[in-house]
Amino acid sequence: MNKPIYKNAKYNIEDRVNDLLSRMTLEEKVMQLCSELPSNFIFNGEIDYTKLKSFGKNGYGRITQYSLVGLVSPQKIVKTSNSIQKFFIEETRLGIPIILQSESLVGYPGKEGTIFPSMLNLAATWEPSLVKKMAEIIGEECHAVGINTVMSPVVDISRDLRWGRCYETFGEDVYLTTQMGINYVKGIQSKNVSCIAKHFLGYAETQGGLNTAVTRLNKKELYEVFATPFEAMDKIANLDGMMASYSEIDGLPVGCNKEIIHDLLRKTMGFKGLLTSDGAAIWKIYDYFKIAQTYAEAGLLAKKAGLDTEIPVSGTYRHLTDFVKNNKLNEHIIDESVKRVLTIKFKLGLFEKPYIEEKNIFNQLTNNTKKKFSEQIAENSIVLLSNKEHILPITSNCTIGLIGPHANSKRYPISGYSYPAYIEMVQALKNKSNKDISFNGVIDEENKMQDSQSFNSMYNIFQNTDWNYLNNTNTIMQNIQATTLKEELETFYKLNYSMGCDITNTNFDDIENAYKIAQESDIIILTVGGNCGWVNVTIGEGKDRCTLDLPGLQQKLLSKLQMANKHIILIMYGTIYNISSTKNIKAILYAGLPGPYSGKAIANIIKGNANPSGKLPFTIPRSVGQIPIYYNHKVGSGYHSIGDKAMSTIFSGGYIDGIYSPLYPFGFGLSYTSFLISDINIKNKIIKLGDDIKLSCKIKNTGSFAGSEVVQIYYYFKEAHVIRPNKQLIAFQKITLKSNECKTILFTINTKQLGYYNEEMQFVIEPGMANLMIGTSSEDIIYQTNIQLIGNPLNIIGNRTYSSQNKII
């Protein structure tokens, strides 16, 4: 008997999808748009097949947050993956395999998964190749345990440091974010794992820096800035899916906003892939935004607007059949979404190879080489913001007073959405301390009274014996071989140590002890900042701020140590914090969330075994009152519009109570060595629209350390009839040079990178004069010149270029 077309790999994906769709009942179609949590059918470590059959008898779309099954054992998650697939292939009528979906922000978040620095740290490296290699590792490890879809990367343009999820992003710039996002998707999807990029659209640009609040953006910016990374990942890396943002745009949540989904995403951008809800986002349409009278109506609004699937539990999408039967929803809308789901399943080869090899699983997960690579990323991401009197590196024989909450912590330098963060979440759920959890979907799912199983019951997945491991944080951190800064420094220096204070507590007892240690030491290294995750943290989802003050007593600790009149090296973790005084602070390192192996990475920089090479992927304000502040502000609306001195008119000027320029600009970062950029050559300063801008420069390491510099190219179009940003990053190249070494960088920048909406709302490149700038940060511009673009205007919608082509010779 011949195989049906959908089971025959000789046919193309479109034919297989159409054949399978033609065989499906309405109920089977709707189930492909639905999602469940593993806690809905896994109890005490075992699959409850009665529960599985109760929701999966007609097939099913996906299981999400699936990595939870692997918190204790990689063998367990592999075995469970195969058992789940076997059920759907052998026990359902059409044998459609299921998507097993997880987060993967900084690695496969299960036992034996490699943990990497935060995305913001990745952005600070300015090395897209590192992102691709990291993503390949994440993809390999996810695939090895059966996870075939990951909800990453986060490519929100993040311009407000008050927002608690900045660490998940690649920063404030559209071009840098685009390059990082493209490489992340290429890396993951090369390992037969699908990406769902998030959050479409404008999620980070919310009122007051508050999570899920209104996004106030115009149509031009929505596409030019915020949609560009998504479009680029689709066009260049064949992105499989996107996640709709929680937030509101122009009076509607994105999940039921037809103008955003249909007009912008599908029509303008031409995206043919999957669009899923965020966790419990449809519930928010009803309960949070209150624009539907019932949860079921919220689902209908979302489906009619074009939202394909609902996660993490499909409390309303599983009832879409009722709306079709009652003539409130056209079955054609269901069909279009089912096609997108099935296309991904065929693309992943799940119909041919649904099962995972169970033997030798450890060989496919983390190892020392991968951990070393994570350390390398951490090292390359550290940004040296200040180094007065060249106090760093510390090479002399001196006594260091190491102080601060991060100095001897293995957990605090690790990002949220990580293996340790998930363990903290399930611990909190088990201990019924839900009020501490800032993960939106946890609380939202708990509020759905009609769902007896939700995030709130995730801890039920585990056997009682599993908690012997899950409750032992010290063992977990030892198993991933994390080391602290204290452990790494005390092997090289004479060290005096004091915590001084914890991140958020209000206990003054150790501050005096820290002061005594400072007095007894030659140099103070002070670690300050926040921590990240969902439980008892200062940064994360739902952990937004209205100040940039250091948490807890850390400012008081710093002020006390400044009284000791010793040189201070400040290391800032988490995000950016303002400090009230820089007295005695001779050096500042921005560490961010550099991961479990950052102790050695930072110690190498302090010792001079490594040269800091990170560059800021965001602008650092002087105070919270400057927010939002970003380098590529529009002409007339930012600090470059004011100039070095306030304008003399009564209508314009800077702040009357502070400086209006940033503390540190986008792209900034110091080195232990120095560089000279010379011999800048623009091949042709008159360029036809659609052709390439070609330029070259020499760069020489003129110092005594080997080191890396990032050459950055910025652009401003002078003759638009709409207001444009004062400058935009359009190319960059990081280069590593030995002392006295010199190389040439060739940049090729196609003019189709430079498009914008004109006054007629046409996305074009137009003739006119432009300013080309070359520098080492957005403010450190060493060369600029005018170029002339000629020819007829070109509408480049659907024909854009997203990346420059660079070559080092």
Side-chain angles (χ1 to χ4, degrees):
M1 184 175 180
N2 292 332
K3 287 182 181 180
I5 289 174
Y6 81 90
K7 288 188 176 182
N8 192 334
K10 293 181 180 179
Y11 287 88
N12 64 43
I13 289 177
E14 184 178 1
D15 288 342
R16 298 177 76 184
V17 167
N18 289 332
D19 178 65
L20 179 51
L21 188 71
S22 71
R23 300 169 185 270
M24 297 173 75
T25 65
L26 175 60
E27 288 75 15
E28 288 169 332
K29 293 174 185 178
V30 165
M31 290 301 105
Q32 288 300 311
L33 310 183
C34 294
S35 172
E36 288 290 339
L37 289 162
S39 54
N40 288 6
F41 63 95
I42 299 176
F43 307 97
N44 298 320
E46 299 295 331
I47 295 174
D48 182 335
Y49 284 96
T50 301
K51 286 281 293 183
L52 186 58
K53 190 171 183 178
S54 70
F55 71 80
K57 61 184 178 182
N58 288 314
Y60 219 69
R62 65 195 60 229
I63 307 298
T64 195
Q65 297 297 337
Y66 181 69
S67 62
L68 290 164
V69 180
L71 289 186
V72 176
S73 165
Q75 294 96 335
K76 182 69 175 180
I77 188 174
V78 170
K79 182 179 179 181
T80 304
S81 298
N82 286 337
S83 297
I84 294 170
Q85 292 291 16
K86 183 177 181 181
F87 169 82
F88 283 102
I89 290 166
E90 297 184 3
E91 302 295 326
T92 61
R93 186 177 74 90
L94 294 170
I96 304 172
I98 194 166
I99 292 290
L100 300 175
Q101 180 171 287
S102 176
E103 305 286 353
S104 71
L105 187 70
V106 293
Y108 157 58
K111 189 177 182 184
E112 305 300 331
T114 309
I115 303 174
F116 293 98
S118 76
M119 295 298 99
L120 203 56
N121 281 79
L122 263 294
T125 69
W126 289 61
E127 295 180 78
S129 61
L130 294 183
V131 179
K132 185 172 184 289
K133 183 177 177 180
M134 179 199 74
E136 288 171 349
I137 292 171
I138 295 172
E140 287 173 354
E141 294 183 355
C142 286
H143 188 269
V145 299
I147 291 169
N148 43 45
T149 298
V150 297
M151 295 180 282
S152 294
V154 176
V155 290
D156 296 299
I157 303 301
S158 178
R159 308 192 293 199
D160 191 333
L161 291 171
R162 296 173 298 177
W163 188 53
R165 302 187 73 173
C166 287
Y167 80 94
E168 297 181 45
T169 76
F170 295 116
E172 73 179 43
D173 181 67
V174 62
Y175 184 79
L176 179 60
T177 296
T178 297
Q179 306 319 305
M180 296 298 184
I182 288 170
N183 279 274
Y184 187 100
V185 174
K186 282 183 175 180
I188 290 282
Q189 294 194 171
S190 71
K191 301 303 176 181
N192 216 30
V193 174
S194 282
C195 279
I196 295 179
K198 54 189 189 182
H199 306 83
F200 191 83
L201 189 63
Y203 182 41
E205 193 83 355
T206 54
Q207 180 174 297
L210 291 169
N211 200 44
T212 77
V214 59
T215 294
R216 291 179 170 175
L217 289 168
N218 59 59
K219 291 181 180 180
K220 288 184 173 70
E221 275 194 300
L222 275 173
Y223 178 66
E224 287 183 16
V225 177
F226 295 88
T228 289
F230 291 95
E231 184 176 83
M233 290 186 297
D234 176 36
K235 304 301 184 188
I236 306 302
N238 197 21
L239 175 67
D240 283 337
M242 299 182 194
M243 177 184 286
S245 164
Y246 283 125
S247 53
E248 167 209 335
I249 297 176
D250 199 20
L252 286 174
V254 172
C256 63
N257 194 320
K258 189 174 181 179
E259 187 173 0
I260 297 297
I261 297 174
H262 179 267
D263 296 351
L264 177 57
L265 180 64
R266 300 299 185 191
K267 188 175 179 181
T268 300
M269 296 170 60
F271 182 61
K272 300 185 187 308
L274 180 79
L275 182 68
T276 187
S277 78
D278 203 337
I282 297 178
W283 173 264
K284 282 182 179 289
I285 292 172
Y286 158 64
D287 185 61
Y288 188 83
F289 291 110
K290 303 186 186 303
I291 62 170
Q293 297 303 306
T294 64
Y295 178 30
E297 184 188 6
L300 178 61
L301 293 175
K303 194 76 220 66
K304 290 175 74 172
L307 191 65
D308 291 318
T309 61
E310 179 184 18
I311 67 168
V313 174
S314 297
T316 182
Y317 266 32
R318 65 167 65 109
H319 302 301
L320 291 176
T321 50
D322 297 335
F323 291 114
V324 175
K325 291 176 180 178
N326 293 330
N327 296 317
K328 292 183 178 180
L329 182 66
N330 193 315
E331 189 172 349
H332 173 73
I333 296 175
I334 300 288
D335 290 349
E336 290 303 305
S337 292
V338 175
K339 285 181 180 180
R340 295 181 186 117
V341 173
L342 295 178
T343 295
I344 292 175
K345 292 184 177 184
F346 280 114
K347 179 181 175 182
L348 292 174
L350 293 179
F351 286 81
E352 286 69 53
K353 294 183 179 180
Y355 304 117
I356 300 300
E357 183 69 48
E358 294 189 28
K359 63 181 180 181
N360 301 323
I361 182 64
F362 282 112
N363 294 337
Q364 301 175 68
L365 297 175
T366 194
N367 56 42
N368 288 333
T369 300
K370 295 177 184 178
K371 291 172 184 175
K372 188 69 178 176
F373 179 59
S374 178
E375 178 191 320
Q376 178 191 342
I377 295 173
E379 190 173 278
N380 290 14
S381 74
I382 306 302
V383 184
L384 179 63
L385 295 175
S386 176
N387 194 21
K388 297 175 183 176
E389 301 171 26
H390 301 287
I391 190 171
L392 287 175
I394 303 174
T395 56
S396 60
N397 183 19
C398 63
T399 300
I400 293 176
L402 181 62
I403 300 168
H406 300 78
N408 199 33
S409 172
K410 294 179 180 179
R411 170 64 181 94
Y412 291 163
I414 300 177
S415 167
Y417 275 102
S418 63
Y419 175 53
Y422 272 105
I423 289 175
E424 291 165 351
M425 180 193 284
V426 296
Q427 287 173 342
L429 290 168
K430 184 173 185 288
N431 296 330
K432 308 299 182 184
S433 55
N434 302 36
K435 60 180 173 54
D436 295 327
I437 298 173
S438 61
F439 193 24
N440 269 298
V442 172
I443 304 303
D444 291 326
E445 288 296 327
E446 184 183 2
N447 288 337
K448 292 185 198 176
M449 300 307 293
Q450 62 266 54
D451 286 321
S452 59
Q453 299 296 326
S454 70
F455 266 115
N456 194 39
S457 61
M458 286 192 292
Y459 65 90
N460 286 330
I461 292 174
F462 307 106
Q463 297 175 308
N464 289 334
T465 54
D466 291 339
W467 291 100
N468 296 331
Y469 172 78
L470 291 171
N471 286 328
N472 194 333
T473 304
N474 289 334
T475 297
I476 290 167
M477 298 309 292
Q478 287 171 2
N479 286 348
I480 64 176
Q481 298 178 356
T483 60
T484 68
L485 183 60
K486 175 179 178 291
E487 290 170 338
E488 296 294 341
L489 288 178
E490 64 189 1
T491 64
F492 194 77
Y493 299 104
K494 181 180 178 182
L495 214 62
N496 297 322
Y497 166 74
S498 171
M499 179 186 285
C501 65
D502 206 345
I503 289 180
T504 58
N505 70 14
T506 55
N507 188 337
F508 284 83
D509 293 349
D510 205 30
I511 291 181
E512 285 299 324
N513 179 51
Y515 179 68
K516 291 178 183 177
I517 282 177
Q519 290 179 310
E520 297 167 359
S521 304
D522 300 314
I523 294 175
I524 301 167
I525 296 179
L526 176 61
T527 65
V528 297
N531 62 325
C532 187
W534 294 298
V535 183
N536 297 321
V537 295
T538 65
I539 310 164
E541 188 169 358
K543 294 291 184 180
D544 311 311
R545 299 179 291 157
C546 62
T547 79
L548 297 183
D549 298 340
L550 285 166
L553 299 176
Q554 293 182 72
Q555 180 60 60
K556 288 182 170 55
L557 173 63
L558 171 58
S559 298
K560 184 69 176 182
L561 296 179
Q562 287 172 318
M563 295 170 60
N565 288 321
K566 299 293 179 72
H567 291 338
I568 298 173
I569 296 168
L570 190 71
I571 306 176
M572 195 172 292
Y573 290 82
T575 185
I576 288 298
Y577 299 92
N578 290 144
I579 54 178
S580 59
S581 170
T582 58
K583 178 185 176 183
N584 297 324
I585 296 177
K586 297 298 181 181
I588 302 174
L589 288 168
Y590 170 69
L593 294 163
Y597 314 112
S598 59
K600 187 173 181 181
I602 296 173
N604 282 338
I605 287 172
I606 290 170
K607 292 185 288 187
N609 292 345
N611 191 343
S613 65
K615 297 278 189 174
L616 289 175
F618 51 82
T619 302
I620 298 182
R622 296 179 185 273
S623 70
V624 72
Q626 290 184 313
I627 292 177
I629 186 171
Y630 43 93
Y631 86 93
N632 53 353
H633 62 78
K634 289 187 177 179
V635 172
S637 296
Y639 57 91
H640 276 294
S641 302
I642 297 169
D644 295 332
K645 295 182 180 179
M647 293 181 181
S648 59
T649 73
I650 63 171
F651 301 108
S652 302
Y655 298 115
I656 62 169
D657 55 355
I659 300 172
Y660 34 84
S661 60
L663 185 62
Y664 294 104
F666 172 82
F668 177 80
L670 300 175
S671 172
Y672 293 158
T673 191
S674 55
F675 297 91
L676 175 65
I677 298 175
S678 64
D679 294 353
I680 297 169
N681 179 53
I682 314 293
K683 185 175 181 181
N684 189 349
K685 292 188 179 182
I686 301 175
I687 301 110
K688 184 179 178 182
L689 292 171
D691 289 351
D692 294 331
I693 304 167
K694 294 187 177 182
L695 62 95
S696 63
C697 65
K698 287 184 178 179
I699 179 167
K700 182 177 182 180
N701 182 343
T702 56
S704 56
F705 283 85
S708 300
E709 181 59 280
V710 181
V711 179
Q712 303 167 35
I713 314 295
Y714 295 89
Y715 171 88
Y716 167 58
F717 187 60
K718 297 181 176 183
E719 297 188 28
H721 292 288
V722 293
I723 301 171
R724 300 297 301 144
N726 76 95
K727 62 169 72 80
Q728 296 172 272
L729 183 70
I730 58 170
F732 64 86
Q733 180 63 53
K734 192 169 190 176
I735 184 169
T736 301
L737 298 169
K738 300 174 184 177
S739 177
N740 291 317
E741 186 178 13
C742 181
K743 289 187 178 181
T744 297
I745 307 175
L746 307 177
F747 293 94
T748 299
I749 303 160
N750 191 273
T751 50
K752 291 179 183 178
Q753 284 181 230
L754 312 176
Y756 63 92
Y757 275 120
N758 65 11
E759 65 274 22
E760 304 295 333
M761 280 301 289
Q762 299 167 325
F763 195 81
V764 297
I765 49 176
E766 296 180 307
M769 190 73 71
N771 190 20
L772 207 61
M773 295 158 271
I774 302 174
T776 55
S777 82
S778 59
E779 293 298 291
D780 297 306
I781 302 298
I782 62 167
Y783 174 86
Q784 54 184 312
T785 189
N786 289 328
I787 60 173
Q788 184 73 41
L789 303 179
I790 62 171
N792 295 322
L794 295 180
N795 190 318
I796 58 170
I797 282 284
N799 188 29
R800 297 175 65 183
T801 301
Y802 303 96
S803 309
S804 70
Q805 302 299 313
N806 310 330
K807 185 177 181 181
I808 300 173
I809 57 175

